[in-house]
Amino acid sequence: MTDKPRVATTSLCGCFGCHMSLLDIDERILQLVQLVRFDRTPLTDIKTIGECDLGLIEGGVANAENVEVLREFRRHCKVLVAVGACAVNGGIPAMRNQFTLKECLEESYVGGVGVHNPGIPNDPEIPLLLNQVHPIHEVVKVDYFLPGCPPSADTLWTFLTELLAGQPIAFPYTQIHYD
């Protein structure tokens, strides 16, 4: 018997909505478990990534830790998928790109409404912010792009089942149009 494909997921700078869509496949998650073996995901609570066939990444790249996690996923995943608007094009987090990092930090920690004890944090435990938020393909090679904010559960289901079956991925119009 052949091993099931191994799948890992992670979230970078985003809202975790794409993972929520994965959970929204509801009882089909039981069918998915029959098709794959989950590695690092919030479903398994595994903190490190092993060698995987498929990596699903949501969120943009906003700090040094995001870069490290993304590069580690790329090294360990045969196929890497940018899931959702943040991973595909930077999404909402990239809205800060119209300002300098200094302006963002000063607004957040020094001059913003309701700031008490102003000062930009300088703790080595806090990942260093990048000057801009990047979509993941600007940092590593991406094999598939799955847009949406977030992509629907049905879109994720269609993508995963067709990819795992080795079929061409074909979405019904209702899964890929956005009002």
Side-chain angles (χ1 to χ4, degrees), residues 105-175:
L105 291 171
E106 286 178 351
E107 177 65 25
S108 298
Y109 297 106
V110 178
V113 176
V115 171
H116 298 285
N117 300 320
I120 297 172
N122 188 18
D123 186 322
E125 295 292 318
I126 300 173
L128 291 175
L129 290 174
L130 303 178
N131 286 330
Q132 292 197 318
V133 176
H134 300 274
I136 69 171
H137 73 271
E138 290 183 2
V139 179
V140 299
K141 178 186 178 289
V142 172
D143 300 295
Y144 291 94
F145 296 84
L146 192 58
C149 186
S152 71
D154 288 337
T155 302
L156 279 163
W157 178 253
T158 298
F159 176 79
L160 290 170
T161 55
E162 290 183 356
L163 180 69
L164 292 168
Q167 300 174 345
I169 300 163
F171 297 107
Y173 177 74
T174 55
Q175 290 182 6

Side-chain angles (χ1 to χ4, degrees), residues 39-54:
D39 193 81
R40 177 186 168 169
T41 77
L43 300 172
T44 60
D45 200 30
I46 296 172
K47 305 294 188 215
T48 59
I49 183 171
E51 294 303 314
C52 289
D53 299 291
L54 179 63

Side-chain angles (χ1 to χ4, degrees), residues 26-83:
D26 299 326
E27 68 278 354
R28 292 177 291 185
I29 195 97
L30 298 174
Q31 294 173 39
L32 187 58
V33 168
Q34 296 301 314
L35 299 173
V36 303
R37 179 174 170 203
F38 284 108
D39 193 81
R40 177 186 168 169
T41 77
L43 300 172
T44 60
D45 200 30
I46 296 172
K47 305 294 188 215
T48 59
I49 183 171
E51 294 303 314
C52 289
D53 299 291
L54 179 63
L56 306 171
I57 299 192
E58 74 168 303
V61 183
N63 63 45
E65 181 182 63
N66 294 160
V67 172
E68 182 180 318
V69 169
L70 178 57
R71 287 183 175 154
E72 179 183 27
F73 261 72
R74 179 69 272 183
R75 278 192 305 274
H76 292 282
C77 296
K78 292 177 186 171
V79 174
L80 193 66
V81 183
V83 180

